[in-house]
Amino acid sequence: MHPQAAHAGAILTVDLDALRSNYRLLRKQAGSAACGAAVKADAYGLGAERVGPALAAEGCRHFFVAHLDEGIALRPHLPATAQVFVLHGPPPGTGQEFISRGLTPVLNSLQQIQDWHALAQALQRPLPAIVQVDSGMSRMGLPAAEAEAWLADPLYQQTIPPLFLMSHLACAEHQDHPMNASQLARFKALRQRLPQVPASLANSSGIFLGADYQFDLVRPGAALYGIAPVAGAANPLQPVAALHGRILQTRTIERGDHVGYGISYSATEQRQIATVGVGYADGWLRGMSNRGVVFIDGKAAPMVGTVSMDSITIDVTGIAAERLQAGALVELIGPSRPVDDVARLAGTIGYEILTGLGMRYYREYVGQ
């Protein structure tokens, strides 16, 4: 173990071999479509500077981040042949920085298109970009009226050659949701007006909706990191992240003794309580108070009391004392409790659990 690991309250392990295996599975599932990767939010909390090169080694050449600064940070870690797309497009006045940094915007509004068009005219050369259209999610992309204005002006397509026509699915994890077919129909109708432009619609879950949704490029994100892509179905992907917290101390409490802020837990009999150095400042959500579970050698240890900023308390009654010494590690995310199960206990989704993991952990990367 690295000496710095002893300094941290917990160890976050990222399995790059599992990541690469997931990418290969998704690429195969995508059929003839190219398989990109969403590495926004620091690769869903797992470290874009390590995740990006691992995916590039598998042949990934289309990387998606949310913000300009994310693209600037990632670009030096990828091969020159890789493209980095910024999903939120260029903030006003940043067009030149996109060009100098080797980044490509996703244009989401007529204003962004007009600004990018003006820059192309000023530089007297075309500036390719992805154009995103809204197919029903009402979040990002050109609304119908703006899409019509864009399509009506051929000059825009001369100065901004569209690399892809793109949209995003709202309900793809629920395969029988009627919104999927509705969005597909709206997207196809727009795509028919630009048949020469490659298209991209499918996110992680959309890949599993079948060939009709895959078009020319798919953009998996959560599935790369082991989150289940289809609600209610077995997860075909390998877990990428594991989290182990460090025991700080243990104590015996008696009937009537309380634990934690607000004394939300009271013992009904003698219990052994261990304190672990992970809290809501580390992304271990307060909503798991008195309902989360951690594991020690595969044996469940329920969380008792309110999650604190820097620690949780667990009931370790009946677990061998030698496994409860200060510094011993307990499993918070891992084989006994995958990230999707943690999310269900917290009343959220695996995305929020992974992206909320803070920077206080010691991060250990295994695999190539």
Side-chain angles (χ1 to χ4, degrees), residues 57-211:
E58 287 294 335
C60 182
R61 290 298 180 266
H62 302 81
F63 293 85
F64 291 83
V65 298
H67 299 290
L68 173 56
D69 280 348
E70 291 180 337
I72 291 171
L74 178 64
R75 178 73 267 183
H77 300 280
L78 297 178
T81 53
Q83 293 177 289
V84 179
F85 302 104
V86 179
L87 290 163
H88 290 183
T94 63
Q96 286 282 7
E97 190 155 19
F98 269 75
I99 295 168
S100 66
R101 300 282 190 167
L103 307 174
T104 303
V106 176
L107 302 177
N108 299 287
S109 68
L110 194 57
Q111 182 64 60
Q112 287 186 343
I113 287 175
Q114 289 168 345
D115 291 348
W116 198 247
H117 164 73
L119 181 60
Q121 287 189 314
L123 296 175
Q124 297 185 326
R125 63 183 177 92
L127 293 179
I130 290 178
V131 176
Q132 180 163 206
V133 295
D134 177 26
S135 58
M137 196 173 179
S138 302
R139 185 189 65 166
M140 302 280 285
L142 299 173
E146 292 192 1
E148 289 299 325
W150 170 58
L151 289 167
D153 191 338
L155 188 58
Y156 285 143
Q157 291 166 52
Q158 294 171 22
T159 58
I160 309 171
L163 295 172
F164 292 94
L165 181 71
M166 177 176 140
S167 194
H168 195 71
L169 295 164
C171 304
E173 66 273 21
H174 301 288
Q175 293 193 324
D176 57 352
H177 200 291
M179 188 64 173
N180 296 325
S182 172
Q183 286 192 264
L184 179 63
R186 292 175 68 173
F187 186 64
K188 279 186 170 180
L190 273 169
R191 205 265 176 119
Q192 285 174 358
R193 298 172 66 179
L194 293 170
Q196 77 282 7
V197 176
S200 179
L201 178 64
N203 54 6
S204 289
S205 300
I207 294 171
F208 291 84
L209 291 174

Side-chain angles (χ1 to χ4, degrees), residues 224-264:
L224 289 169
Y225 311 110
I227 293 174
V230 179
N235 189 351
L237 301 156
Q238 295 183 32
V240 173
L243 181 63
H244 291 83
R246 195 179 302 284
I247 291 176
L248 304 176
Q249 64 180 115
T250 58
R251 71 187 69 240
T252 301
I253 65 172
E254 305 294 338
R255 177 185 175 133
D257 286 344
H258 312 297
V259 177
Y261 284 116
I263 59 173
S264 61

Side-chain angles (χ1 to χ4, degrees), residues 265-317:
Y265 173 85
S266 299
T268 57
E269 58 184 341
Q270 186 183 84
R271 310 301 293 174
Q272 288 289 112
I273 303 296
T275 302
V276 177
V278 172
Y280 58 76
D282 307 290
W284 204 249
L285 300 180
R286 200 167 182 268
M288 285 190 278
S289 300
N290 290 301
R291 49 190 308 206
V293 180
V294 306
F295 289 82
I296 301 173
D297 298 334
K299 185 172 183 179
M303 289 167 52
V304 296
T306 303
V307 175
S308 299
M309 181 181 289
D310 312 301
S311 63
I312 57 174
T313 40
I314 60 175
D315 186 339
V316 293
T317 306

